[in-house]
Amino acid sequence: MVVAALLATLAPQMAERHKIAFARIFPNSGQIGLFIAAADGSDEHPLLAAPDIDYDAVWSPDGAWIGFTSERDGSAELFRVRPDGTGLERLTDNPAYDDQAAFSPDGRALVFGSTRGGGTADLWTMDLATRRTTALTSGPGGDFRPSWSPDGKWIAFSSDRGDRAPFARGRWERLQRAEIYIVKPDGSGLHAVTAHGGFCGSPKWTHDSRHVIGYCMTAEETLANRRAAPEPGSNTRLVSIDIVSGMSADLPAEPGVKVNPSPLPDGRFGYVRKDKAGPGAGIYYSDGTQGPHGDVRAASWSPDGRCVVFHKRLAAAIAPLQETFSKNSDHALTLTGTILPSFSPAGDRFVTNSRSSPTAVGASLLITTVATNRSEVIFQDKTRNVFAPQWSPRGDEIIFSVGTFNAFFNGFHGLFLKPEDRVEGGAQVATIHADGTGFHEVTSGPANTAFPSLAPDGRQFVFRMFGPAGDGLRTMNLVTKTVTALTS
């Protein structure tokens, strides 16, 4: 699943187009690749001659096609291509996010996840001959990773429908709980086949159409295991579920973060190991052998089990500025290599803070010039982080926060077991001239003050606060230093 964050600030109109700079967590261009290889990992090579942001590939039942998701034309759409990389064909064209396709057993239809039904992730089916799409599931929550049974009677998928997503223990993030469901292709017979309260995902059918295999974990483990590099000690279970009796059994596999299991024609099953401990990340098999190495995320085997197609994470630097596709001609979209961009009033520059560092402190304040695509550090405190900068209405100053911000920069290692922990040792609002001079902290005291935004006249600013004097939104007059509570 493609995990994304959109953080945008609108600039004044220039040439009758708004400019929006935004940041994306993952993937950016060059950070993901789609590959094909023999099942043992030999002859690995890119699937496509012109790769792009391509992922979530799946083999057709006759082995003639590979379906996948691509953002080569803008938003995520479904494509298919021959296993030799020829015959590239676009299957969907919709402003929604289309992803995670699976073929019907006769190869004439697809089931896939899409947000076209009102913004939530639901399942849709497509007739490949007519390209006609039909909604299969609906309602609040998300439905993901569908898989069609070999006898054509059922579609299995994972879903968080009906879940309230409680907060993780000691965290500010919510848990990602999900169960495995099955539904008939006409939308009837929908029911869960795993117990509520934990996480089970990526179901795949065995050849008898009676069992699905997937991976499961506790709800609290979802936070650690969805990280790009799970830490040592993280673990998941591979399970087989009888859809008639509801009984489940663990499948034999080594410890580690194991995802995306798939039954193979020879009786083995393959899976992806995400953590890098022990033998390392990559594709493994139930007989102890290994396939392709690397940060693989999702894999699909050819019908005869001899080849595997997969996507994996790649090391690639993110450019300070990269123009990207916009469906709205009134707006120009630009990806940034940093986070929380804020344009200057003139629209020729924007300020951001850099991403986290290995030491969890030292995030810097950068100004990027649009015309040159060059970034310059104007402030850094190696003992703290800068966060959430905003440009002043006059364009001469930048207001931002400075503190440790453990929740954002410390890689999920900070614990928040009681409300006072959100203070994180305190944080201050500061201002600095756009040329990097005149740094000045305008707040003081034990509270954690952050996310400042100046009023149009530049005389006061609004910010959020955690601290002994209360939590909520406050304003401060920059002349009198008077603080006024707006919310609690």
Side-chain angles (χ1 to χ4, degrees):
M1 180 172 77
V2 177
V3 176
L6 185 64
L7 302 165
T9 303
L10 203 61
Q13 287 191 8
M14 296 187 69
E16 298 183 352
R17 294 189 83 193
H18 290 291
K19 295 190 300 181
I20 297 176
F22 69 98
R24 181 177 185 173
I25 301 301
F26 183 85
N28 293 281
S29 180
Q31 292 183 319
I32 197 169
L34 195 56
F35 296 86
I36 189 169
D40 64 3
S42 61
D43 191 30
E44 179 181 323
H45 59 276
L47 175 64
L48 297 141
D52 206 284
I53 300 180
D54 308 317
Y55 46 92
D56 284 341
V58 61
W59 225 292
S60 66
D62 61 2
W65 292 99
I66 293 173
F68 65 99
T69 304
S70 180
E71 299 177 25
R72 60 188 55 236
D73 292 334
S75 64
E77 303 287 359
L78 300 181
F79 289 74
R80 66 178 177 180
V81 70
R82 300 290 186 183
D84 63 1
T86 63
L88 180 65
E89 183 181 355
R90 182 170 173 166
L91 301 177
T92 61
D93 185 5
N94 193 286
Y97 198 99
D98 296 333
D99 187 21
Q100 300 175 0
F103 285 91
S104 62
D106 61 10
R108 297 179 180 178
L110 287 177
V111 59
F112 61 99
S114 179
T115 59
R116 63 182 65 195
T120 58
D122 299 311
L123 299 186
W124 289 67
T125 57
M126 170 189 285
D127 183 293
L128 285 170
T130 65
R131 305 295 167 85
R132 181 174 178 267
T133 59
T134 304
L136 178 64
T137 64
S138 62
D143 301 330
F144 316 99
R145 300 286 178 192
S147 175
W148 218 308
S149 65
D151 63 10
K153 295 180 180 179
W154 292 98
I155 292 170
F157 62 99
S158 52
S159 177
D160 63 5
R161 56 179 54 224
D163 188 70
R164 295 182 177 273
F167 281 102
R169 178 185 177 273
R171 312 288 192 185
W172 58 272
E173 304 88 358
R174 292 183 178 272
L175 296 173
Q176 185 186 350
R177 303 193 300 192
E179 296 88 44
I180 293 176
Y181 286 75
I182 59 174
V183 64
K184 292 183 178 179
D186 64 3
S188 64
L190 173 69
H191 65 279
V193 296
T194 57
H196 181 76
F199 177 97
C200 287
S202 294
K204 296 290 192 305
W205 291 90
T206 56
H207 303 293
D208 61 5
S209 294
R210 174 164 176 160
H211 300 81
V212 293
I213 67 174
Y215 74 100
C216 298
M217 66 187 105
T218 67
E220 289 292 341
E221 288 173 324
T222 60
L223 179 62
N225 291 344
R226 74 168 180 254
R227 299 179 63 189
E231 295 180 337
S234 300
N235 194 41
T236 62
R237 298 177 294 114
L238 302 182
V239 300
S240 175
I241 303 156
D242 187 316
I243 66 164
V244 176
S245 68
M247 299 293 292
S248 66
D250 286 3
L251 297 173
E254 294 294 322
V257 180
K258 306 169 292 292
V259 300
N260 187 219
S262 296
L264 299 177
D266 60 8
R268 300 181 301 162
F269 61 87
Y271 61 92
V272 172
R273 180 163 175 168
K274 186 178 175 182
D275 65 294
K276 299 177 182 178
I283 292 175
Y284 290 81
Y285 298 98
S286 54
D287 62 357
T289 58
Q290 186 173 358
H293 297 260
D295 283 344
V296 179
R297 287 298 180 265
S300 176
W301 282 261
S302 59
D304 60 11
R306 295 180 180 179
C307 295
V308 61
V309 62
F310 55 93
H311 76 259
K312 62 181 177 180
R313 296 173 68 107
L314 304 172
I318 309 173
L321 282 170
Q322 181 179 334
E323 291 187 11
T324 189
F325 177 81
S326 174
K327 288 184 178 290
N328 187 332
S329 60
D330 292 334
H331 296 82
L333 296 182
T334 301
L335 276 167
T336 74
T338 50
I339 55 177
L340 296 171
S342 173
F343 275 106
S344 66
D348 60 338
R349 297 176 294 171
F350 61 82
V351 63
T352 58
N353 59 263
S354 63
R355 295 173 184 249
S356 58
S357 71
T359 60
V361 291
S364 55
L365 199 65
L366 301 99
I367 289 181
T368 299
T369 302
V370 175
T372 64
N373 198 8
R374 293 179 63 89
S375 298
E376 176 188 6
V377 175
I378 65 166
F379 177 80
Q380 183 183 35
D381 181 340
K382 293 185 178 181
T383 66
R384 297 184 292 178
N385 294 300
V386 300
F387 194 48
Q390 291 285 307
W391 221 292
S392 70
R394 295 193 307 270
D396 58 340
E397 283 193 321
I398 293 162
I399 190 168
F400 61 101
S401 307
V402 58
T404 56
F405 298 110
N406 197 37
F408 292 93
F409 291 100
N410 198 16
F412 301 116
H413 292 109
L415 285 176
F416 304 96
L417 300 175
K418 54 187 182 302
E420 305 89 84
D421 293 340
R422 287 308 313 266
V423 178
E424 299 178 303
Q428 307 305 328
V429 171
T431 58
I432 195 170
H433 297 315
D435 63 3
T437 63
F439 171 77
H440 172 62
E441 295 186 16
V442 297
T443 63
S444 61
N448 184 309
T449 58
F451 297 100
S453 178
L454 280 160
D457 62 7
R459 296 179 180 177
Q460 60 179 333
F461 65 94
V462 63
F463 60 98
R464 78 103 174 93
M465 183 175 77
F466 296 125
D471 306 334
L473 297 182
R474 305 288 187 267
T475 60
M476 173 182 277
N477 186 300
L478 285 168
V479 177
T480 66
K481 306 300 182 184
T482 302
V483 176
T484 302
L486 296 181
T487 67
S488 59

